[in-house]
Amino acid sequence: MADKIDHSLIKTDLYDAVNGEWLKTATIPGDHSTTGGFTDLSDGIEKTLMADFKDLLAGKLKPENDEMNEFKQFYELVSDFDKRDKDGSAPLKPYLDRIEALNSYQDLSDQLADWILTGLPTPFSLDIDSDMKDSTKYALFASGPRLFLPDKTYYEKDNQAAKQLLPVLEKMMAQLFKLAGYKEAETQSIIEKATAFDKLIAPHVKSAEESADYSKMYNPRSLDQIADSTDKLDLRTAITSLLHGTPEKIITTEPDYFDALGDLLTDDHFQMMKSWLLFKTVMGLSSYLTDEQRQTSTIYGRAMSGRKEARSQEKSAYDLATGTFDQVVGDYYGRKYFGETAKQDVHDMVVKMINVYKKRLANNTWLGKATREKAILKLDKLGIQVGYPDKIDPLYSKFKVTPASNGGSVLSNLMTFTRIRNEDDFSRWNQPVDRTRWEMSASTVNAYFHPFYNIIVFPAAILQAPFYSLKQSSSENFGGIGAVIAHEISHAFDNNGSLFDENGSLNNWWTEADNQHFHELAENMVKEFDGLPYAGQKVNGKLTVSENIADAGGLSCALEAAKGEPDVDLNAFFLNWAKIWRQKATPEREKLLLSIDVHAPAKLRANVQVQNLDDFFSTFDIQPGDKMYMAPENRVKIW
């Protein structure tokens, strides 16, 4: 059935004109916080794969490779809730006992490398990624830990969201500790100390807005400097053990945190830190135990997002199994439901969008010749990944399931896989960067640009209607997947992507004049969105600027590509653009995203971006006085 569009509303509100009728009847499933564009596609894939994997478990569908066979065994294990309930908290006990056995920082320090490989929490975070200054090899990154609340801004005095969320978190944790065998008085003390330590951490880590600025990420420190951050933990030995080598530099994304680490890890704070470790472990691992623990562990997340109920046993087992073997499942999905023909078709579309972008750069009026040439070189070297990888990541061949008959539990297997994954990550240090490696499953409804690798990735899952379909007109496809493709290309030239050169290295390739002009244009985009009212709050223009620049560039380039087709229909182009952003979300979800999400709300993405394009006004005869009208001098044009 075709969507009912209220054409009389287009001059007032494009998003409502296209999606108003749908919004009236759309209902958010109880275990969701949203419904609409992206969510509907995810739900469709989930339904398809759950049916397939039901046949897999029943023996009607044969595993096509060894990795799929291990996935099948793991799926059987996570689906056996009778066994999980029988095991109770026993699988968690060894990890809690290990934390309980700590009597000093020295006890933790003596086993720190193994502790990190095991996947237990630490009051700092280590990670491997491409060296921001030399994208040919992997480097070690260091940052602060994740907080209990969604963002450091929640820890500010009189934050109303925190006043609502913290009691919910504490009540949930009291239940989880009780289910893990702790007495009430003991639990209360742990929770008080853990939350106190978390509050001490909060001022020294970055907020979502601060983290969104990649120019502040690269803060190289020597191993000595990192090791000297605290005298309570031997970071030098831990790091050299993990890397099997000695790094000359460690990229410190949150330098303020390491400046404060010595003041956080004091003898007076030891019991607080130990409680924080227990809290994090119980919070992180309870969902892999009994069904009661699984459901209880969702209470806090559901309060944050407004989901009314936990996922069913069947769906939670699907989530856990497919999430653990995500690339294996992606390979199956991509080959069965997408295939090589569609892969090539979309790849051609990406190349077409890159060529449109090149043409625009060549004709750009505000960039100097030298900067233009470097920008075109960056496009020439842009890596393209479409559909699904050519082969499954070798990491998954190491995942061997220990079945229940051999004493295996869901948690013991997951912790084994975690160790394998961590060892694999740390083994990459100082090795050549693999730009062909996928970081997202082909069955994920999303797309991304990675500035460190200068690659764009379009998993098979997003390449379906309304984003893309052979049944849709070229203009509809360009208003959907074309705009998404060009959005990801635009990230190479947003306020963050523009910091990195054609190889993905942090390197200023702009002339000073061009750079200044670009930042003035970017500031216009900040102002266009900053303070826009939404869900009883206001949009943060600085937090969302990179995504808004990418949306603007993406939509503008997709429009040019659509106009180049013989069957161009700009009406269909703009209407499908508005359709792909349709979304209904819980009020809690909307408020949470306004504080932490780098994307503007879906409705504003649909409505504001079209107002920057002259063709939108001529297509629908929008005149001064119409609500969707924007004066030409206020239209933000960057790419």
Side-chain angles (χ1 to χ4, degrees), residues 132 147 150-156 201-219 252-257 495-496 499 540-546 594-598:
M132 294 173 74
L147 300 165
D151 191 66
K152 73 179 285 185
T153 54
Y154 281 66
Y155 293 76
E156 292 167 0
I201 290 170
H204 309 293
V205 296
K206 288 183 175 180
S207 65
E209 182 185 321
E210 290 165 334
S211 296
D213 184 354
Y214 285 17
S215 69
K216 307 267 183 14
M217 279 179 75
Y218 186 76
N219 306 284
T252 315
T253 57
E254 295 180 300
D256 290 354
Y257 182 75
N495 59 307
N496 285 323
L499 303 169
N540 181 340
K542 281 186 180 174
L543 175 64
T544 57
V545 62
S546 64
L594 278 168
S595 62
I596 63 169
D597 192 9
V598 292

Side-chain angles (χ1 to χ4, degrees), residues 326-626:
D326 58 344
Q327 296 286 356
V328 178
V329 171
D331 179 77
Y332 169 82
Y333 173 81
R335 290 179 197 285
K336 181 166 182 181
Y337 294 103
F338 192 63
E340 290 296 330
T341 307
K343 193 175 180 178
Q344 189 58 51
D345 187 50
V346 177
H347 190 281
D348 292 345
M349 200 170 178
V350 175
V351 172
K352 188 179 284 187
M353 292 308 307
I354 289 172
N355 288 333
V356 169
Y357 224 106
K358 274 189 200 172
K359 184 179 157 194
R360 298 194 79 145
L361 284 170
N363 297 325
N364 183 288
T365 54
W366 60 268
L367 281 179
K369 185 172 182 287
T371 310
R372 266 205 317 271
E373 286 173 353
K374 285 290 278 183
I376 291 169
L377 175 64
K378 188 169 183 180
L379 283 179
D380 284 335
K381 289 211 168 186
L382 186 66
I384 304 169
Q385 296 178 358
V386 168
Y388 49 92
D390 294 332
K391 63 180 190 300
I392 298 171
D393 190 324
L395 170 72
Y396 294 88
S397 66
K398 299 176 187 174
F399 285 14
K400 302 298 179 190
V401 177
T402 304
S405 56
N406 288 352
S409 67
V410 173
L411 184 57
S412 69
N413 275 281
L414 276 170
M415 295 305 272
T416 299
F417 300 156
T418 296
R419 188 180 192 93
I420 291 167
R421 204 180 278 277
N422 288 338
E423 286 173 346
D424 184 71
D425 280 346
F426 286 116
S427 73
R428 291 178 193 281
W429 173 75
N430 223 22
Q431 297 299 309
V433 163
D434 179 5
R435 287 177 81 223
T436 66
R437 191 167 179 252
W438 282 55
E439 295 184 355
M440 191 178 276
S441 168
S443 56
T444 303
V445 182
N446 212 331
Y448 69 92
F449 166 78
H450 200 311
F452 295 7
Y453 307 132
N454 194 31
I455 57 167
I456 47 173
V457 182
F458 302 98
I462 197 173
L463 304 170
Q464 48 185 321
F467 292 92
Y468 166 79
S469 170
L470 292 171
K471 293 176 183 175
Q472 291 181 169
S473 70
S474 68
S475 290
E476 285 176 297
N477 278 341
F478 278 116
I481 198 64
V484 172
I485 290 168
H487 168 106
E488 298 307 336
I489 297 169
S490 294
H491 270 311
F493 306 103
D494 69 19
N495 59 307
N496 285 323
S498 61
L499 303 169
F500 299 83
D501 65 17
E502 70 276 10
N503 300 310
S505 293
L506 191 61
N507 176 21
N508 184 16
W509 47 274
W510 297 67
T511 64
E512 196 172 326
D514 288 343
N515 196 30
Q516 187 180 340
H517 191 115
F518 171 72
H519 282 286
E520 286 167 5
L521 294 173
E523 191 57 34
N524 290 340
M525 188 63 79
V526 171
K527 288 174 185 169
E528 183 167 50
F529 278 84
D530 199 47
L532 290 178
Y534 193 80
Q537 295 183 98
K538 289 181 178 177
V539 175
N540 181 340
K542 281 186 180 174
L543 175 64
T544 57
V545 62
S546 64
E547 293 296 335
N548 290 331
I549 290 172
D551 272 348
L555 187 60
S556 174
C557 286
L559 175 64
E560 185 165 329
K563 286 162 78 173
E565 295 294 318
D567 61 340
V568 57
D569 177 357
L570 295 191
N571 191 300
F573 173 87
F574 287 115
L575 295 180
N576 202 43
W577 162 258
K579 183 180 178 180
I580 66 172
W581 297 115
R582 67 168 46 169
Q583 181 179 283
K584 184 179 269 192
T586 62
E588 295 89 343
R589 169 86 174 168
E590 289 180 331
K591 286 175 182 173
L592 174 68
L593 292 185
L594 278 168
S595 62
I596 63 169
D597 192 9
V598 292
H599 303 85
K603 176 173 180 169
L604 299 182
R605 294 178 79 172
N607 274 352
V608 177
Q609 293 298 352
V610 295
Q611 293 177 301
N612 293 322
L613 298 172
D614 301 343
D615 281 316
F616 172 67
F617 301 95
S618 57
T619 300
F620 297 106
D621 189 30
I622 293 166
Q623 301 294 334
D626 294 329

Side-chain angles (χ1 to χ4, degrees), residues 161-233:
K163 285 179 181 176
Q164 292 175 320
L165 283 176
L166 200 55
V168 175
L169 173 63
E170 290 173 346
K171 187 178 177 185
M172 178 189 84
M173 291 307 297
Q175 288 176 255
L176 290 176
F177 272 108
K178 184 180 178 184
L179 291 168
Y182 282 76
K183 293 185 171 61
E184 191 175 334
E186 195 179 11
T187 294
Q188 196 55 42
S189 172
I190 290 170
I191 291 172
E192 283 175 10
K193 288 172 185 168
T195 51
F197 190 66
D198 204 57
K199 282 175 188 165
L200 291 178
I201 290 170
H204 309 293
V205 296
K206 288 183 175 180
S207 65
E209 182 185 321
E210 290 165 334
S211 296
D213 184 354
Y214 285 17
S215 69
K216 307 267 183 14
M217 279 179 75
Y218 186 76
N219 306 284
R221 292 197 170 177
S222 67
L223 179 59
D224 285 345
Q225 286 175 300
I226 293 293
D228 290 344
S229 299
T230 172
D231 60 358
K232 298 300 182 187
L233 298 174

